[in-house]
Amino acid sequence: MEKKGLLAFFAVYLSLFPIAAFGSDGVIRIGVLNDQSSVFADSTGAGSVLAARMAAEEFGNKIGDMPIEVISADHQNKPDVGSNIARRWFDLEKVDVIVDLGNSAVALAVNEIAREKNKAIVVSAGGSTALTGKACSPNTIHWTYDTWSQSYAIGSALVKAGYPTWFFITADYTFGYNLRDETTAVVLKQGGKVLGSVRHPINSSDFSSFLLQAQSSGAKMVALANGGADTANAIKQAREFQLHKAGLGIVGLSTMITDIHALGLETTQGLFVTETFYWDLNDGTRAWSKKWGDRNNQRKPTMMQAGVYAGVLHYLKAVKALGKPDDGRQVVAKMKELKTDDPLFGQGYIRPNGRKIHDQYVFRVKSPDKSKSPWDYYELVSKTSGEESFLPLKDSGCALVH
């Protein structure tokens, strides 16, 4: 074969395969990409960056001769901004893994870029089940929760607890739709009914008309299929409208402990929430949360921030086992091979589609007189095992399963 023909052959051959990272710059570089200035900044933001750094510190900020660096950026809840940052990090700044990725639209966009660049991502705050379903990737781990797990745990528990009729107030983007649709399916399966649903734009300040529609529907449960400041605003206004005195229950399908803290127990008492982590669950969660809080104004972490710590910790264990971070698929495959074990989520494992498995909890927010100390906000309603909490693998629609 002539030289030109041989070069052409190899050009075509290489184009058939994703470009992998060749060689190493000798640094394990972790990028925390999340909302640091808007609706989800309190539940992820700088607290997630701190969590990633604490995981790196567990290894002495070094594995072998490779130092560990943690950098961060604000995606502003915009997929184009998040995508541009991810490409720059992967192409120019030699970032090996991107973590957190709150906002499902951003997470799904970066999911495809990581697949293309053969880098790893560990999603803690993005909730879309598509990440382990139709958009699943051999480069992606979905750690803390997803909309199916949130919906299943809370829907099952509350219909059984005497709330058979529901009304949804839904954020007008992918995350909100998933929460609404998947909770609806659970409610109907349990024999309940959905009496109505309304949508609102992200960063809404006025929920009065939506709450009045919910009250007039006759539903027993008002489900907030949104997150961050949107959830907080809706909860506050529901209290002002005294929906609780009309006998309506309120459930935050993605409510964080930071929302409860910001609003106070007087406003949030009786609210139902579902989480995979709570700082006061056991000795391990309490000890780590104290260390985190000592470096963050004595606050307590959200489940998303806890997920960043645990996910980065397991990522680094996989890198240590492999001896290098450069091939994202190899690292993710090793993460799936190794059993997970950390003080925040306990022992678990990762399914072939990238779904991390651990228990799910339903809590009810305490009244002020029952809270014994700062951040003592939850009483346990129910616990669902990891195997039951997440969408069955056979139903995921992920090509990696086969």
Side-chain angles (χ1 to χ4, degrees):
M1 184 180 294
E2 294 183 4
K3 185 176 182 180
K4 289 183 178 179
L6 188 63
L7 290 173
F9 169 78
F10 278 111
V12 172
Y13 179 82
L14 290 172
S15 71
L16 297 175
F17 299 91
I19 298 174
F22 294 99
S24 172
D25 67 343
V27 177
I28 302 166
R29 200 165 280 111
I30 300 164
V32 183
L33 183 57
N34 61 19
D35 178 356
Q36 299 184 8
S37 59
S38 184
V39 64
F40 302 117
D42 207 26
S43 57
T44 60
S48 290
V49 180
L50 172 59
R53 287 180 174 147
M54 288 175 67
E57 289 165 5
E58 294 285 340
F59 290 81
N61 291 310
K62 192 175 185 181
I63 293 177
D65 294 328
M66 298 179 292
I68 303 169
E69 292 183 2
V70 176
I71 65 174
S72 64
D74 184 352
H75 58 46
Q76 303 172 41
N77 292 306
K78 298 176 181 178
D80 59 334
V81 173
S83 296
N84 288 337
I85 292 169
R87 290 188 183 279
R88 185 184 77 240
W89 276 359
F90 288 151
D91 292 341
L92 302 178
E93 300 184 34
K94 298 188 181 298
V95 167
D96 298 294
V97 61
I98 295 178
V99 303
D100 204 4
L101 287 164
N103 186 301
S104 293
V106 176
L108 287 165
V110 176
N111 177 64
E112 294 308 312
I113 295 169
R115 188 202 306 262
E116 171 194 341
K117 304 291 184 181
N118 193 21
K119 297 290 188 175
I121 66 171
V122 181
V123 181
S124 179
S128 176
T129 51
L131 288 162
T132 52
K134 63 182 180 181
C136 71
S137 163
N139 296 72
T140 297
I141 299 294
H142 201 180
W143 194 275
T144 309
Y145 78 108
D146 58 37
T147 53
W148 199 94
S149 67
Q150 297 290 101
S151 305
Y152 182 85
I154 204 83
S156 300
L158 295 185
V159 172
K160 293 175 184 176
Y163 297 94
T165 51
W166 290 54
F167 186 96
F168 288 86
I169 297 176
T170 305
D172 193 10
Y173 65 109
T174 302
F175 175 70
Y177 307 151
N178 287 347
L179 278 176
R180 178 198 61 196
D181 295 345
E182 290 167 358
T183 307
T184 294
V186 175
V187 168
L188 296 177
K189 186 175 181 180
Q190 295 295 328
K193 295 180 180 179
V194 174
L195 302 185
S197 177
V198 291
R199 294 184 294 179
H200 70 84
I202 192 171
N203 282 326
S204 292
S205 58
D206 185 2
F207 286 83
S208 57
S209 65
F210 309 133
L211 292 166
L212 288 173
Q213 289 181 63
Q215 188 172 9
S216 64
S217 74
K220 291 293 185 182
M221 180 61 66
V222 180
L224 304 177
N226 49 23
D230 287 331
T231 298
N233 286 334
I235 293 169
K236 182 179 180 180
Q237 289 169 40
R239 194 73 182 182
E240 292 170 354
F241 278 68
Q242 298 189 336
L243 264 61
H244 61 290
K245 290 188 176 180
L248 276 73
I250 306 290
V251 57
L253 296 176
S254 184
T255 303
M256 299 290 106
I257 194 171
T258 44
D259 302 322
I260 309 303
H261 184 74
L263 293 169
L265 293 181
E266 188 64 41
T267 297
T268 58
Q269 59 183 302
L271 178 76
F272 292 98
V273 301
T274 178
E275 307 221 30
T276 55
F277 166 87
Y278 175 47
W279 72 269
D280 201 20
L281 276 176
N282 53 55
D283 289 343
T285 58
R286 284 188 285 271
W288 184 85
S289 297
K290 184 181 186 305
K291 290 179 183 178
W292 185 91
D294 286 345
R295 297 166 63 173
N296 196 19
N297 300 314
Q298 300 306 313
R299 296 171 66 82
K300 297 300 182 186
T302 65
M303 69 173 179
M304 296 171 179
Q305 291 159 341
V308 169
Y309 168 82
V312 170
L313 191 73
H314 193 65
Y315 169 83
L316 291 172
K317 290 178 182 178
V319 170
K320 183 177 181 180
L322 285 171
K324 59 180 181 178
D326 305 293
D327 189 316
R329 267 173 217 176
Q330 284 188 7
V331 177
V332 167
K334 181 59 69 172
M335 291 177 74
K336 294 175 182 178
E337 178 185 324
L338 298 173
K339 295 293 185 182
T340 63
D341 192 2
D342 62 76
L344 308 188
F345 297 88
Q347 295 180 339
Y349 66 97
I350 300 171
R351 287 176 174 169
N353 63 344
R355 174 69 263 162
K356 166 65 168 54
I357 300 300
H358 43 242
D359 295 337
Q360 186 93 12
Y361 306 90
V362 175
F363 300 102
R364 189 166 191 172
V365 177
K366 292 181 176 181
S367 58
D369 60 297
K370 291 185 178 179
S371 178
K372 298 177 181 178
S373 61
W375 298 88
D376 175 25
Y377 295 156
Y378 291 165
E379 55 187 12
L380 183 64
V381 174
S382 65
K383 174 183 174 180
T384 308
S385 70
E387 276 299 319
E388 188 180 355
S389 293
F390 293 95
L391 181 68
L393 187 59
K394 63 182 178 61
D395 298 330
S396 69
C398 172
L400 299 175
V401 174
H402 304 296

